[in-house]
Amino acid sequence: MSVRLDEPPVVVNLGVGVHGTSRPRDVFRLPDLWQFHLYGYDGELDAGGHRHRIRPGHVSLVPPGERITYHYRGRSEHLYVHLRLAETGAARTVPVMQDAGADTPVLTTLLRQAIAVAATEPAMAVAAVWTALWHTARLSDATGPHAAVSAAIAHIESNLAGPLSVAEVAVAAGVSHNHLTRLFRAEKGTTVVAHIRERRLHRARHLLRESTLPIAAVAAAVGIPDLQAFNKVCRRVWGASPRAVRAGR
């Protein structure tokens, strides 16, 4: 199933759903709206000819027009959003049902916040739902075949200002030094060290061009606190000093 999240969703309805108190089964079909649910119960969901297991912390995203059947085991509560998604932009493949795992508290907070402010601050509610959708779309990144590379890249992006070693990045990605090196080469066509260097310089160029930070502060912000070393790297890669890069030369 493909979703496009480059633009914020149009949130039509959201709230807390309570089911299973009077009957063990419900059938839903929303012709024009996506159904986004975060579950707090055990049950099953039939959608697209497949039965999906529901457990607390599971999240589902069902496209418009899909007939879905819920099977309950007593009182069943979930958070729900009915929404429209953009039809243009980059497509991401998202399973109908996923286990949010460690992201469950984040999704719960975002959706409950959206429900709480929807009546008074609808734009804030949309922002929270949009963020929750992005978290959901990225869940497979943490469990798929390239999860280690995704985890490594996320760690690098979050820690560019400090010292970074391949061994440290490998620990954050949950794999060995050698295995991460092989995965990086296969997926990115480069080494971990080269990727770190490229990301440092990309951020440095942005800060030089788009901020008024002193050059020494820029160097420190990208993990090269030695100003002389920073100058040498800039001249080697860009053929210009940081001051010249800032001036647009």
Side-chain angles (χ1 to χ4, degrees):
M1 177 181 65
S2 293
V3 299
R4 290 169 169 81
L5 299 176
D6 291 354
E7 298 178 16
V10 175
V11 175
V12 177
N13 195 17
L14 75 173
V16 180
V18 178
H19 301 276
T21 56
S22 59
R23 55 189 179 186
R25 189 172 74 108
D26 277 325
V27 179
F28 296 94
R29 180 178 174 274
L30 300 182
D32 304 311
L33 300 175
W34 290 79
Q35 300 183 58
F36 182 34
H37 292 117
L38 177 63
Y39 300 97
Y41 60 87
D42 293 298
E44 288 84 34
L45 170 67
D46 294 336
H50 299 281
R51 175 160 291 193
H52 303 274
R53 187 177 181 181
I54 297 173
R55 291 294 180 267
H58 282 199
V59 60
S60 67
L61 188 59
V62 178
E66 186 75 59
R67 184 179 185 272
I68 58 175
T69 303
Y70 281 100
H71 302 272
Y72 309 115
R73 299 175 184 173
R75 188 181 188 279
S76 303
E77 181 175 312
H78 60 235
L79 308 180
Y80 71 89
V81 186
H82 299 158
L83 50 93
R84 295 187 179 91
L85 293 177
E87 297 182 358
T88 58
R92 299 182 64 96
T93 300
V94 178
V96 168
M97 184 74 71
Q98 297 183 86
D99 183 351
D103 272 20
T104 301
V106 175
L107 289 175
T108 301
T109 297
L110 287 167
L111 293 181
R112 287 199 177 277
Q113 180 186 64
I115 293 166
V117 303
T120 56
E121 300 287 353
M124 185 178 177
V126 168
V129 170
W130 195 12
T131 303
L133 286 167
W134 270 110
H135 275 278
T136 300
R138 290 174 57 84
L139 285 174
S140 58
D141 293 345
T143 57
H146 308 299
V149 174
S150 296
I153 290 172
H155 182 77
I156 290 167
E157 290 297 314
S158 300
N159 294 277
L160 282 180
L164 280 168
S165 67
V166 179
E168 174 200 339
V169 175
V171 169
V175 295
S176 70
H177 178 298
N178 291 337
H179 189 43
L180 181 64
T181 299
R182 289 193 294 270
L183 288 173
F184 234 85
R185 178 68 73 180
E187 184 167 336
K188 306 295 290 184
T190 188
T191 65
V192 179
V193 171
H195 179 78
I196 292 171
R197 185 185 307 117
E198 189 276 331
R199 294 307 301 158
R200 289 194 198 279
L201 289 171
H202 178 84
R203 185 169 295 180
R205 179 184 286 272
H206 171 77
L207 291 174
L208 288 169
R209 292 281 182 84
E210 305 298 335
S211 82
T212 58
L213 282 174
I215 289 173
V218 172
V222 299
I224 314 175
D226 184 320
L227 193 55
Q228 186 176 3
F230 183 60
N231 271 279
K232 286 182 178 179
V233 170
C234 292
R235 289 182 183 278
R236 184 175 71 248
V237 175
W238 298 326
S241 68
R243 192 176 300 278
V245 172
R246 168 158 281 173
R249 298 197 295 271

